[in-house]
Amino acid sequence: MELWEELGAMRSLCEGPWVVCGDFNTTRFPSEKINCIRLSRAMIDLSSCINELELIDPPLFGGSYTWRGGENHRNASRIDRFLYSFPWDDMFLQIRQCTLPSLGSDHNPIVLICGNKAFRRSYFKFEKWWLNVEGFKSKVHEWWSSFEVSGRPDYKLATKLRLLKIKLKEWSRENRGNWKARKEQILSQIGDMEVTQESRSLTDDEQILKVHLAMEYEEVAKN
């Protein structure tokens, strides 16, 4: 689609943190549209674009949909959204996207709230989720052994720690997408179950699964 190509071209011209917002005229998941049960090609293309550009699609607070139409607003979907890059996520303390009341339009305005607008200090932080990635400890040992530094013991230690920090940041950026994908998968599963609830009651097993998914999302979201 031309829009995704244009976004890719714009991204290549931008350096540093990046945010895009607007009406994408499609949802990402069936759960974001009333009475939708299948992934469409447009949904797949949007998700592919987001992944390729390494953007974050944050959850929406304040409502499930951003557009309503038809008789008595029976049609509704989430076609408006903010997307931002990982550096933007690192710079602010808390980021949320929320809906605002609609004043005459069939779209709800959305706003991106970035905490107290205080930029984080640029410092290295060990992430707890790294320990849950298979092979992480072996990878650290491999990196450490590969660093060839000569000089005083204190200089060697400081230099190897600095080189390790660079490796960890690179590795973290590459693997963070896996956790993001899992969060999106969980939200999609929960959304599909909520769609099911509109037509029938969930079984006991489905209700238990929904609770477990919500608990898993809370755990994954901490990382």
Side-chain angles (χ1 to χ4, degrees):
M1 186 175 178
E2 292 184 1
L3 174 58
W4 314 142
E5 295 175 357
E6 290 178 7
L7 283 177
M10 291 173 58
R11 183 68 184 100
S12 66
L13 298 175
C14 300
E15 296 182 359
W18 197 65
V19 178
V20 60
C21 170
D23 175 3
F24 290 87
N25 202 34
T26 184
T27 62
R28 287 195 68 190
F29 308 106
S31 58
E32 295 178 345
K33 185 177 182 180
I34 286 181
N35 297 326
C36 180
I37 59 175
R38 292 187 179 89
L39 277 171
S40 67
R41 169 49 58 182
M43 295 178 189
I44 295 173
D45 289 344
L46 174 56
S47 291
S48 296
C49 177
I50 291 172
N51 293 331
E52 289 175 5
L53 298 181
E54 298 182 341
L55 297 173
I56 297 175
D57 181 18
L60 181 68
F61 293 88
S64 301
Y65 310 112
T66 62
W67 172 87
R68 289 171 176 78
E71 186 178 355
N72 295 324
H73 287 174
R74 291 180 180 175
N75 301 322
S77 60
R78 180 193 173 190
I79 56 178
D80 309 274
R81 61 203 329 128
F82 276 94
L83 303 170
Y84 51 83
S85 62
F86 284 115
W88 186 276
D89 187 48
D90 291 335
M91 289 170 59
F92 291 94
L93 297 175
Q94 183 181 15
I95 302 177
R96 296 172 53 147
Q97 86 174 299
C98 307
T99 61
L100 298 175
S102 174
L103 301 177
S105 172
D106 53 1
H107 287 260
N108 282 89
I110 56 175
V111 60
L112 187 67
I113 301 173
C114 299
N116 59 4
K117 298 183 180 180
F119 287 91
R120 289 176 175 168
R121 297 168 58 187
S122 179
Y123 62 92
F124 177 77
K125 181 176 66 174
F126 188 93
E127 300 283 354
K128 180 182 177 182
W129 66 267
W130 294 350
L131 297 174
N132 296 325
V133 177
E134 185 177 355
F136 171 73
K137 294 181 181 179
S138 299
K139 182 62 70 174
V140 171
H141 184 269
E142 176 184 335
W143 289 330
W144 189 265
S145 301
S146 69
F147 301 147
E148 296 182 1
V149 183
S150 58
R152 300 188 315 272
D154 58 341
Y155 172 79
K156 290 171 62 177
L157 176 61
T159 302
K160 293 182 76 169
L161 286 173
R162 186 168 63 253
L163 293 172
L164 180 61
K165 180 174 69 173
I166 295 173
K167 287 290 187 180
L168 285 171
K169 286 185 175 181
E170 294 174 349
W171 176 90
S172 179
R173 283 195 295 268
E174 294 173 357
N175 285 271
R176 192 173 184 177
N178 297 330
W179 290 86
K180 180 170 72 78
R182 179 54 184 155
K183 287 195 289 186
E184 292 178 352
Q185 183 183 35
I186 293 172
L187 288 176
S188 179
Q189 288 179 269
I190 293 176
D192 290 342
M193 297 177 78
E194 290 177 346
V195 171
T196 300
Q197 277 185 294
E198 295 180 4
S199 58
R200 64 169 176 81
S201 299
L202 296 180
T203 65
D204 290 343
D205 289 342
E206 289 174 330
Q207 291 177 350
I208 293 173
L209 175 59
K210 187 177 181 182
V211 171
H212 283 303
L213 286 171
M215 293 174 63
E216 182 181 355
Y217 181 84
E218 290 292 329
E219 185 62 30
V220 174
K222 297 176 183 178
N223 300 311

